[in-house]
Amino acid sequence: MLMQSTEMQLMAVSDAARGTLGAFLGGLVLVGALVWAVRLGMKVRRKEPRRPRPDEQPQLPRSGPVQEVRELREPDEMPRAADRSERLKPRNLHASGSKRSPNQDVPRWNTGDSGSFGSGGSGKT
């Protein structure tokens, strides 16, 4: 009985030792993969062109920053074929689906309207 107990303890110790050794070796493999990845990243970065110096950075024009241009656009009509048998080709179409509207007055809300979405009411209770 003492013999079986000792053998069981030795097997339990050896299983724990195998688990510990396996975890240690797995950690070594993981660390090795991370070191390899960092070295590969450094090698790739060395091949990239250098970063521009501050004096090589783009400069603002003397007139200042470019301002946003706002304009009203309207849909551009689809060109019609001369006859029904003619097929429209991409070169017959315009580059953009819209064109600059001749009326550039921005529509505003009517006085007394709330301007909220959904109700369409006056906003007064």
Side-chain angles (χ1 to χ4, degrees), residues 82-125:
D83 60 3
R84 288 199 171 273
S85 64
E86 184 183 2
R87 192 177 94 186
L88 286 176
K89 297 184 175 67
R91 66 176 172 266
N92 302 118
L93 302 176
H94 300 121
S96 174
S98 65
K99 61 183 179 183
R100 188 173 195 274
S101 174
N103 181 12
Q104 291 295 310
D105 294 331
V106 179
R108 299 287 179 210
W109 293 323
N110 294 331
T111 308
D113 287 348
S114 67
S116 67
F117 292 106
S119 68
S122 66
K124 299 174 186 172
T125 56

Side-chain angles (χ1 to χ4, degrees), residues 26-42:
L28 281 179
V29 168
L30 184 64
V31 167
L34 289 173
V35 167
W36 174 80
V38 168
R39 291 188 67 171
L40 178 67
M42 290 169 60

Side-chain angles (χ1 to χ4, degrees), residues 29-65:
V29 168
L30 184 64
V31 167
L34 289 173
V35 167
W36 174 80
V38 168
R39 291 188 67 171
L40 178 67
M42 290 169 60
K43 183 178 176 182
V44 167
R45 187 140 186 205
R46 261 189 249 119
K47 290 181 181 180
E48 291 177 352
R50 67 171 179 79
R51 292 183 177 178
R53 293 189 311 264
D55 60 324
E56 296 173 338
Q57 297 289 335
Q59 302 292 323
L60 278 176
R62 290 185 184 266
S63 61

